[in-house]
Amino acid sequence: MILQSFDLTGKTALVTGCKRGIGMGMAVALAEAGADVIGVSASLEKEGSEVEKAVKALGRKFYGYQCDLGNREALYAFIKEVTEKHPVTDILVNNAGTIMRKPAAEHPDEYWDEVININLNAQFILTREIGKGMITRGSGKIIFTASLLTFQGGINVPGYAASKGAVGSLVKAFSNEWAGKGVNVNAIAPGYIATDNTAALRADEKRSASILERIPAGRWGEPADFKGPTVFLASAASDYVHGTILTVDGGWMGR
């Protein structure tokens, strides 16, 4: 039965940036499909977070961690702890990210470094380290959160655009090496979604109107729009899908 290929019962998923927005939607979707969830965010409450409550309400286990993924020392300490406590991670969702807005000519080193460290460097390190176990077991699913700016340049966000463009290439690089070892590496590229990252755009009436005019679906996306794509890429239903960047954008890129 086809629906059984989407079943994640008995799987453990590590989701970064899971406190709210798209990341929380992804974590809850994986739990709805049967997976237990290891969640990490820079400001995630160790107990009592909204994502924890949502996952546990579905009868699944939730293990919460707090880590500044832009801090290399903290990142390695987190990896050490999580791999010792949870030796098997079946699904890795590299969703954590940040965005810093300033025109390119005024974009300071600090903005660039912070965005690249969180959006790219941490994701490479996590994938490399968690992926080692997947390769040894001969199975695993890795999902990156890319962006429309994986394909486009954006405005006033050069560091973010550079990081997301690099994520697109990183997905293909990992996939080229790991597809034959039973590990699927893919990405989801969100369009314009109603989250904290787009609050400034949605508050700008002219920008918001111009964006909506270009989205064939005629609305901003919601975190719930990522449930289906996430479960698909995390499950056996996508076993022959490698190195793909799946746009969830209301038709933006099709236009």
Side-chain angles (χ1 to χ4, degrees):
M1 297 291 289
I2 184 60
L3 292 181
Q4 291 177 346
S5 66
F6 292 88
D7 186 9
L8 300 179
T9 301
K11 303 293 186 181
T12 298
L14 169 56
V15 183
T16 72
C18 68
K19 183 175 180 178
R20 55 183 175 267
I22 293 172
M24 180 173 173
M26 289 172 152
V28 172
L30 294 169
E32 288 177 345
D36 293 326
V37 177
I38 303 165
V40 59
S41 290
S43 59
L44 182 69
E45 302 90 339
K46 291 194 175 181
E47 291 185 5
S49 66
E50 291 303 310
V51 63
E52 178 181 4
K53 292 175 185 175
V55 169
K56 286 187 172 180
L58 294 164
R60 308 313 312 164
K61 296 176 183 176
F62 182 86
Y63 309 93
Y65 293 86
Q66 189 176 102
C67 178
D68 175 5
L69 299 178
N71 181 313
R72 191 68 58 88
E73 185 177 342
L75 174 61
Y76 275 110
F78 164 70
I79 292 170
K80 183 176 185 295
E81 182 177 4
V82 81
T83 52
E84 287 177 352
K85 291 184 177 178
H86 312 280
V88 177
T89 296
D90 304 287
I91 302 156
L92 170 62
V93 180
N94 284 310
N95 173 71
T98 191
I99 189 167
M100 307 287 279
R101 301 179 186 276
K102 221 163 204 182
E106 304 165 21
H107 210 78
D109 290 353
E110 295 78 24
Y111 278 24
W112 177 272
D113 290 343
E114 181 173 350
V115 170
I116 295 297
N117 278 333
I118 294 172
N119 293 10
L120 182 61
N121 295 343
Q123 299 199 21
F124 168 73
I125 292 169
L126 265 172
T127 301
R128 183 189 66 202
E129 297 304 309
I130 299 298
K132 290 176 182 177
M134 295 179 174
I135 291 170
T136 298
R137 294 187 299 275
S139 67
K141 301 283 185 172
I142 299 173
I143 305 168
F144 285 78
T145 296
S147 168
L148 292 183
L149 298 197
T150 299
F151 312 100
Q152 303 172 337
I155 300 171
N156 297 331
V157 288
Y160 184 83
S163 71
K164 292 301 184 178
V167 161
S169 291
L170 191 59
V171 165
K172 296 168 189 175
F174 274 121
S175 179
N176 288 344
E177 294 190 34
W178 293 359
K181 298 177 181 179
V183 180
N184 297 73
V185 185
N186 295 289
I188 294 173
Y192 286 91
I193 312 301
T195 65
D196 292 351
N197 274 359
T198 59
L201 291 177
R202 287 180 287 119
D204 184 330
E205 290 186 11
K206 291 183 69 175
R207 277 299 298 281
S208 182
S210 68
I211 288 167
L212 284 173
E213 286 174 2
R214 189 175 167 176
I215 301 173
R219 67 173 177 86
W220 288 79
E222 300 289 341
D225 292 317
F226 295 85
K227 288 187 171 185
T230 300
V231 171
F232 167 62
L233 291 177
S235 71
S238 62
D239 278 354
Y240 199 58
V241 180
H242 295 276
T244 291
I245 302 171
L246 174 61
T247 54
V248 181
D249 61 357
W252 178 282
M253 287 302 296
R255 190 172 175 181

